[in-house]
Amino acid sequence: MDSTNLLDSFSEFKEFKNIDRVTMMKILEDVFRSALTKKYLSDENFDIIVNVDRGDLEIWRNREIVADGEVEDENFQIAIADAKRIEEDFEIGEEVSEEMKLEDFGRRNILSIRQNLASKIMDLEKDDIYKKYKDRVGDIITGEVYQVWRKEMLVLDDDDNELILPKSEQIRSDYFKKGDSVRAVVAKVDMQNNNPVIILSRTAPEFLERLFELEVPEVFDGLITIKNIVREPGERAKVAVESYDDRIDPVGACVGMKGARIHSIVRELKNENIDVINYTTNNQLYISRALSPAKIVSITLNEEDKKADVFLKPDQVSLAIGRGGFNIRLASKLCGYEINVYRDSDKDDEDVDLEEFADEIDSWILDELKAIGCDSARSVLDLSIEDLVKRTDLEEETIKEVLKIIREELS
């Protein structure tokens, strides 16, 4: 009996991406069994033979031969007269097997089979994408920008899978257009309405860590360990590194000859300023390194409240705080301490706490000044008007009025 390849009419599904042939054949068998059950109410007397190597599928219907006029269930029984038309030697009580042709299902059922097959393959494809990226959370990927919207960007990977890079996960100065190549880490993978949603990030600390692994072989090989990373994306980052091999300088290896290694990372991060420091379990030394380039005079730790009072020369305070307060804020995150900076001076000059001016200066103005490390009258006077304008959200006229009030108090 000639075999009919039932897959010929479904050729577009044969090489569906990411689905191996064995799985594909299992899907086909399930789909056809479902169609048989729908048409004949049962698939128990059908044999479905799948040939993975040839990529074809045969369906055989098995029925018992009964005397003419005694057929009770046409699905399970066949009259002797009909059986003899298939093969003359058949006798009552024997079993006859007929091969099903695709046209036996009828046009409507064939369309239903196609839709069911497409749906199952699509579900499997979605599940495959979800599992693939669920295992890659934290990994760096390179994709191509396909579409840019106001709040997010659509990125395609090498298999044309759709990935999302939200605006909130982009560096502030990032600018991409369709066709651009973009690198990011897989931040989150969810299933929404049975569709995999892969969220990328360029602001996550893991992105910077993966870049170090790409650019610094010692980090990739595990000779240098990244202990902690804190970032203000696009502005500044601090990376604590450690090596268990005394022959390796972890900071020097990460920076590279003439800064070659670190510069390529800085360019990828849109000129984000990266401080690489040696990790240590000595908390005072760790905080001192984290506040670099400022030179520390002394540090007092409160281990219970996780606070650190850092004393510096007056000319070092602005370095410790940094532009926009990034340096001190990142140092606090890196070390796990709330860091407060104070001026260490040999002068016995009279000074007044800023809170003493609460009756004359609005509290929100005092808060702005404290946010940049100015907690006393002298600390405000030590800075120029230009510095105060640059580091706070205060207008020049407001600052001049504040300085006038403070000078009158100290005079």
Side-chain angles (χ1 to χ4, degrees), residues 228 230 238 279-288 290-291 299-310 325-341:
N228 196 10
V230 290
K238 288 186 181 290
Y279 175 79
T280 175
T281 54
N282 182 326
N283 290 329
Q284 290 198 359
L285 180 56
Y286 194 27
I287 292 171
S288 177
L291 286 171
I299 299 175
T300 303
L301 297 181
N302 181 335
E303 294 292 353
E304 186 176 343
D305 296 331
K306 284 293 182 180
K307 291 185 177 181
D309 294 333
V310 179
F326 290 133
N327 198 53
I328 190 169
R329 190 155 61 244
L330 289 175
S332 295
K333 289 181 182 177
L334 188 74
C335 302
Y337 283 82
E338 181 185 328
I339 300 175
N340 299 303
V341 295

Side-chain angles (χ1 to χ4, degrees), residues 117-134:
L117 182 58
S119 175
K120 282 183 175 292
I121 290 175
M122 192 64 69
D123 287 344
L124 195 67
E125 176 78 358
K126 290 175 181 178
D127 190 55
D128 184 73
I129 294 170
Y130 176 80
K131 289 178 180 177
K132 171 186 173 182
Y133 276 99
K134 194 70 176 175

